[in-house]
Amino acid sequence: MAVTRVLRLLRILADHPAGLALTPLCMVMNAPKTSVLSLLRGLTAHGYLQRSNEVYGLGPESFSLGASLVSARSLDLVVMPFLREAVARSGETALIARIDRAAGQLIYSPIIESTRTIRYAVPAGTTRPLFASSAGRVLLAFQDEAWRREYLQYADLRAMTEHTVTDRKQLARIIEQVRETGVAVTIGEVTPDVAGFSAPIFEPGGRVSAALIIAAPIERGRAAAADLQRLVMELAANISRALGYRPELDPRGLAPSQALKTKQLLRRSRQHAAPKNRTTT
């Protein structure tokens, strides 16, 4: 299988920091030169490998891939206490949405459900289109501008409820506002009786591949909308900081209002990190 051969090749070169030439690579992989050379050319063209004279070594995209995989695992470990805190403080379900850029959708995982009888519930691994949900709009807002523009131009904007926004220009305005404010809210746009509140989770380099969501039955969500927006922004900022993100070092140049808001949330979280009457997990 091609994917298996690619991963094996990358592992071999990771074990040989000085790189390897074609012949020794073929010997280690026990594969014909034509097959290995085809892999090498493709991976080099996409930046996963680099070639110096006749020696192949790992390229910058391999290190980015490795960092992404480590980040994904780190996120699972980091977010759980914050999800529990979100549920404890809001009484509602809390979950993480991760972007699948290739599919143009998001995936929910992990999830901690509210303990209330009437609550928002969704299985881990559920997917949703990016344009309709609060988390999807957060994820869109903090992607590369060219990628976001292409998504909005070609995505199938099929309404999920009678309240789903499907006008492309209106969506572009909403997403720009989300980038400015750092929070997204949807009321009955994905599921008729659910309100969603989402904020971005920043990786150390400023990339956004995940969002925190607090989801509530629609009437409770409406009644507590302001509090839930503040809470999801605070906890998403706390997760970002726990992952190593520092807004003052972000090279991407966030919108000034969002950068200031993120700094304020991080400062507030440090000030209240261990209140005397609160147990932390």
Side-chain angles (χ1 to χ4, degrees), residues 41-60:
R41 285 173 175 167
L43 291 170
T44 302
H46 289 88
Y48 289 99
L49 300 181
Q50 53 191 1
R51 180 182 175 185
S52 177
N53 296 324
E54 299 301 319
V55 174
Y56 292 88
L58 295 180

Side-chain angles (χ1 to χ4, degrees), residues 171-223:
L171 275 170
R173 290 193 295 270
I174 290 171
I175 290 165
E176 183 57 35
Q177 184 178 22
V178 170
R179 183 173 173 81
E180 287 289 329
T181 62
V183 66
V185 179
T186 53
I187 306 291
E189 292 195 48
V190 176
T191 305
D193 54 354
V194 174
F197 305 83
S198 299
I201 295 171
F202 292 93
E203 298 170 13
R207 196 181 196 200
V208 173
S209 298
L212 173 65
I213 313 163
I214 298 176
I218 198 163
E219 293 307 322
R220 291 207 305 260
R222 282 197 179 115

Side-chain angles (χ1 to χ4, degrees), residues 202-206 237 240-241 244-256 258-267 270:
F202 292 93
E203 298 170 13
S240 299
R241 183 171 183 82
Y245 174 70
R246 301 295 181 269
E248 62 273 14
L249 302 178
D250 191 341
R252 302 166 315 122
L254 292 179
Q258 168 59 11
L260 176 61
K261 199 181 299 280
T262 304
K263 290 177 185 177
Q264 290 170 339
L265 289 167
L266 290 171
R267 185 166 58 248
R270 289 196 297 270

Side-chain angles (χ1 to χ4, degrees), residues 160-178:
M160 302 184 72
T161 75
E162 62 179 327
H163 301 294
T164 306
V165 176
T166 57
D167 180 80
R168 296 181 194 275
K169 291 183 179 179
Q170 185 180 355
L171 275 170
R173 290 193 295 270
I174 290 171
I175 290 165
E176 183 57 35
Q177 184 178 22
V178 170

Side-chain angles (χ1 to χ4, degrees), residues 125-143:
T126 296
T127 60
R128 292 282 187 262
L130 293 171
F131 75 92
S133 65
S134 61
R137 291 172 185 176
V138 162
L139 292 167
L140 282 171
F142 292 94
Q143 300 306 303

Side-chain angles (χ1 to χ4, degrees), residues 5-274:
R5 290 199 301 271
V6 167
L7 292 175
R8 187 175 176 216
L9 175 59
L10 294 176
R11 282 197 298 268
I12 290 168
L13 290 176
D15 291 335
H16 294 80
L20 289 172
L22 175 60
T23 300
L25 265 173
C26 294
M27 293 174 63
V28 174
M29 295 186 69
N30 192 27
K33 282 189 176 182
T34 52
S35 175
V36 175
L37 185 59
S38 176
L39 281 178
L40 292 172
R41 285 173 175 167
L43 291 170
T44 302
H46 289 88
Y48 289 99
L49 300 181
Q50 53 191 1
R51 180 182 175 185
S52 177
N53 296 324
E54 299 301 319
V55 174
Y56 292 88
L58 295 180
E61 289 300 321
S62 289
F63 295 107
S64 297
L65 176 61
S68 297
L69 294 173
V70 170
S71 177
R73 181 168 177 79
S74 298
L75 183 64
D76 281 340
L77 298 174
V78 167
V79 298
M80 295 309 292
F82 297 101
L83 290 178
R84 287 192 287 269
E85 181 178 357
V87 174
R89 291 173 62 183
S90 69
E92 306 297 351
T93 294
L95 56 159
I96 298 295
R98 305 166 191 257
I99 190 169
D100 180 342
R101 294 180 180 87
Q105 62 185 16
L106 59 80
I107 304 168
Y108 292 144
S109 181
I111 300 166
I112 297 183
E113 288 187 16
S114 167
T115 58
R116 295 183 178 186
T117 303
I118 299 175
R119 62 185 182 273
Y120 177 68
V122 63
T126 296
T127 60
R128 292 282 187 262
L130 293 171
F131 75 92
S133 65
S134 61
R137 291 172 185 176
V138 162
L139 292 167
L140 282 171
F142 292 94
Q143 300 306 303
D144 175 81
E145 183 179 352
W147 189 92
R148 180 170 64 249
R149 192 185 306 117
E150 184 176 3
Y151 173 88
L152 288 174
Q153 183 177 355
Y154 295 109
D156 179 9
L157 306 184
R158 195 173 306 170
M160 302 184 72
T161 75
E162 62 179 327
H163 301 294
T164 306
V165 176
T166 57
D167 180 80
R168 296 181 194 275
K169 291 183 179 179
Q170 185 180 355
L171 275 170
R173 290 193 295 270
I174 290 171
I175 290 165
E176 183 57 35
Q177 184 178 22
V178 170
R179 183 173 173 81
E180 287 289 329
T181 62
V183 66
V185 179
T186 53
I187 306 291
E189 292 195 48
V190 176
T191 305
D193 54 354
V194 174
F197 305 83
S198 299
I201 295 171
F202 292 93
E203 298 170 13
R207 196 181 196 200
V208 173
S209 298
L212 173 65
I213 313 163
I214 298 176
I218 198 163
E219 293 307 322
R220 291 207 305 260
R222 282 197 179 115
D227 290 338
L228 293 176
Q229 287 181 70
R230 283 191 292 268
L231 180 59
V232 78
M233 291 177 71
E234 175 191 337
L235 294 180
N238 290 351
I239 294 171
S240 299
R241 183 171 183 82
L243 289 170
Y245 174 70
R246 301 295 181 269
E248 62 273 14
L249 302 178
D250 191 341
R252 302 166 315 122
L254 292 179
S257 59
Q258 168 59 11
L260 176 61
K261 199 181 299 280
T262 304
K263 290 177 185 177
Q264 290 170 339
L265 289 167
L266 290 171
R267 185 166 58 248
R268 190 184 311 151
S269 70
R270 289 196 297 270
Q271 291 169 348
H272 300 285

